[in-house]
Amino acid sequence: MRKAQGSWEKRILKSLNSMCTELSIPLARKRPVGEQKELLNKWNEMGTDEPDLSLFRPVYAPKDFLEVLINLRNPNYENGDSLSFRTHLGLIQVPLKVKDIPELKECFVELGLNTGQLGIDDSTQVPPELFENEHVRIGQKVLVQQDSAAAQQYIRQGSPTALRAELWALILNISSQPEDILYYEQLKTNVIQHDLLVDSLIYKDVKLTASNDDYYFVFEDYLYQVLLCFSRDTSVLSHFAYNSASPPKSYIRGKLGLEEYAVFYPPNGVIPFHGFSMYVAPLCFLYHEPYKLYQIFREMYVRFFFRLHSISSHPSGIVSLCLLFETLLQTYLPQLFYHLREIGAQPLRISFKWMVRAFSGYLATDQLLLLWDRILGYNSLEILAVLAAAVFAFRAVNLMEVTSLAAAEAVLADLSTLKVMPLLQIFLFATVT
């Protein structure tokens, strides 16, 4: 796993360096005073700026990353004819332990059919408005007590819209102190003083994704502010202690290979890829002060999102999520799985982009926030794979009639009308196991 991650990082760096060379642009430069003033003046309206980014390209897109995961192999398995894993007919060929539906039911017990949920309109046990009123009352109590563990348990049944911003901040242990605001301002100063090559990648990504999204285009300025500050934040480097990835290094000109002249590049160690800005976009609905939005995003990234673009065997890592998704489909919807495989439409080729982005940009925002409630509540990303499988189950009848990958993608092109919680409940608790 580490070897694969290492060679993937080399590819990313090669792509970044070749872009530098082709465009004759340095990785970093100090901005002239005039340019600094100009940027400071338009800090809150960077979206109006239209730099020519036609020559810049994303360093990689999710589909490039998927190809790397498909080629992962366990060398210890090469010579053995172990049948147990050989029967896995999906694209991921790494034998990791993933949960089956009985284990998932046990894990996500609060999503059961007899438990009240926000996001389900017709619960049979209790009238929805009665449950909602009581749930809001309990939520307010949790906030008064400032109990992070209680908030995490509470949010498993969904968060009321009015309380979500405070509950998430409580779960992520974020309380905005004056020094946090000062820290954010320091990052902003770093952005204004220095121009990095990754800034252009961030601009390009926002223009290609969030700016074209019906829900998120209004937050364009916020996205630039948060992502530019994020790239300068060296405190993000601490998450590499538990991340299989390692931060890229750059050397001061003329000192290549000399460790004492090495610096991390970008300063936070994270090179943005196509779609990266979609991790921030949904949070803009909850937080309106940039420093608070920034803190929440940074914490969400170092707890969860980094796992979606690094190769590891962690249960919430993208490799395990892909395997969990394929195993659920192959086990519980075998006819659909075999049909799609036969026509050259491996399900993972369709669902991978949903999982890498944690469904951001695919679901309607209210539904996405209900899903992210559960990620925080269960401190796990496994629910992404379960939802991806549930979407296939929901569209199974239509998918059984398609005869090509393009047709299958067309059936699953629009997820914006889906209701997350009923899909998850039906798949987990009403599937015959």
Side-chain angles (χ1 to χ4, degrees):
M1 287 289 199
R2 289 203 180 109
K3 196 172 168 186
Q5 175 64 33
S7 59
W8 170 237
E9 284 167 17
K10 284 196 184 92
R11 267 180 66 184
I12 296 172
L13 290 182
K14 193 174 173 186
S15 172
L16 196 64
N17 285 326
S18 66
M19 206 184 324
C20 259
T21 312
E22 281 167 35
L23 305 178
S24 304
I25 293 173
L27 285 171
R29 68 177 179 91
K30 193 167 172 63
R31 296 184 204 271
V33 176
E35 197 181 316
Q36 289 187 27
K37 280 182 182 162
E38 191 188 343
L39 182 58
L40 190 56
N41 290 337
K42 64 177 187 200
W43 180 255
N44 291 318
E45 47 200 49
M46 283 191 271
T48 57
D49 203 18
E50 289 287 346
D52 177 22
L53 299 172
S54 54
L55 296 172
F56 288 92
R57 57 183 187 277
V59 178
Y60 68 95
K63 62 175 187 294
D64 307 316
F65 188 41
L66 175 59
E67 292 307 319
V68 176
L69 303 189
I70 291 170
N71 290 314
L72 281 175
R73 294 289 181 276
N74 179 351
N76 306 325
Y77 262 53
E78 285 307 289
N79 304 321
D81 279 326
S82 166
L83 280 173
S84 59
F85 198 76
R86 288 276 174 254
T87 53
H88 178 73
L89 300 173
L91 294 171
I92 300 294
Q93 292 296 317
V94 185
L96 297 173
K97 171 84 179 82
V98 292
K99 295 183 175 75
D100 56 14
I101 284 194
E103 288 171 312
L104 288 167
K105 278 182 178 174
E106 211 173 293
C107 178
F108 297 117
V109 68
E110 292 85 357
L111 303 185
L113 298 169
N114 298 327
T115 312
Q117 297 289 335
L118 287 186
I120 291 187
D121 306 324
D122 49 358
S123 171
T124 49
Q125 306 295 319
V126 184
E129 53 283 356
L130 261 179
F131 167 71
E132 273 181 42
N133 293 342
E134 178 61 10
H135 196 56
V136 169
R137 195 184 62 76
I138 296 168
Q140 288 165 334
K141 208 170 169 182
V142 167
L143 285 173
V144 167
Q145 293 180 343
Q146 286 293 295
D147 185 334
S148 186
Q152 200 169 3
Q153 178 64 39
Y154 168 84
I155 212 170
R156 292 178 178 187
Q157 289 171 269
S159 169
T161 308
L163 306 181
R164 183 174 279 124
E166 285 185 75
L167 284 165
W168 284 19
L170 179 56
I171 293 167
L172 296 168
N173 291 322
I174 285 166
S175 56
S176 293
Q177 304 296 331
E179 58 266 30
D180 298 317
I181 302 169
L182 192 64
Y183 186 71
Y184 176 77
E185 288 298 325
Q186 284 171 341
L187 294 174
K188 178 178 163 181
T189 305
N190 289 345
V191 175
I192 284 161
Q193 287 176 349
H194 293 91
D195 181 21
L196 303 184
L197 171 68
V198 290
D199 296 354
S200 297
L201 298 178
I202 289 166
Y203 265 104
K204 180 95 176 189
D205 186 51
V206 174
K207 291 284 182 205
L208 288 175
T209 55
S211 298
N212 296 322
D213 190 288
D214 292 348
Y215 292 106
Y216 304 125
F217 71 95
V218 291
F219 300 124
E220 197 179 339
D221 298 323
Y222 274 167
L223 297 178
Y224 293 132
Q225 291 172 21
V226 167
L227 288 166
L228 291 172
C229 287
F230 181 68
S231 67
R232 294 351 188 239
D233 192 347
T234 51
S235 74
V236 176
L237 290 167
S238 62
H239 92 283
F240 286 104
Y242 51 88
N243 181 352
S244 59
S246 41
K249 278 183 183 172
S250 174
Y251 293 88
I252 290 165
R253 198 168 292 157
K255 306 287 184 184
L256 186 63
L258 297 172
E259 283 305 308
E260 63 268 33
Y261 294 102
V263 289
F264 291 120
Y265 184 87
N268 68 346
V270 181
I271 294 173
F273 57 91
H274 180 55
F276 193 83
S277 55
M278 296 307 278
Y279 291 145
V280 189
L283 303 173
C284 298
F285 278 100
L286 303 182
Y287 304 96
H288 306 301
E289 301 94 353
Y291 70 88
K292 187 81 183 255
L293 170 64
Y294 177 74
Q295 282 183 287
I296 298 285
F297 163 64
R298 182 181 60 192
E299 195 58 35
M300 288 287 281
Y301 180 82
V302 300
R303 282 200 195 194
F304 303 111
F305 297 147
F306 78 90
R307 297 199 184 280
L308 297 174
H309 62 96
S310 51
I311 302 170
S312 76
S313 50
H314 191 279
S316 278
I318 191 66
V319 185
S320 296
L321 297 186
C322 292
L323 188 56
L324 174 57
F325 164 75
E326 289 192 324
T327 308
L328 288 173
L329 273 196
Q330 189 180 329
T331 310
Y332 299 104
L333 295 158
Q335 278 177 301
L336 175 63
F337 187 83
Y338 293 126
H339 168 66
L340 291 172
R341 189 170 173 267
E342 286 306 302
I343 61 163
Q346 276 277 16
L348 185 60
R349 290 204 181 275
I350 300 170
S351 67
F352 185 73
K353 58 186 181 292
W354 306 339
M355 294 191 286
V356 166
R357 280 200 199 171
F359 281 89
S360 177
Y362 296 104
L363 294 172
T365 306
D366 61 326
Q367 296 302 308
L368 182 76
L369 295 174
L370 287 166
L371 175 67
W372 285 14
D373 280 343
R374 275 67 182 194
I375 289 176
L376 283 159
Y378 290 99
N379 197 30
S380 161
L381 292 164
E382 287 165 305
I383 202 153
L384 298 176
V386 179
L387 178 59
V391 171
F392 273 77
F394 180 64
R395 297 265 166 93
V397 175
N398 305 59
L399 287 169
M400 285 302 286
E401 291 170 9
V402 302
T403 53
S404 68
L405 174 60
E409 283 179 327
V411 168
L412 295 163
D414 183 12
L415 308 186
S416 63
T417 56
L418 297 182
K419 299 283 184 208
V420 165
M421 295 320 298
L423 278 185
L424 285 168
Q425 277 198 332
I426 291 164
F427 185 75
L428 279 176
F429 294 93
T431 302
V432 180
T433 56

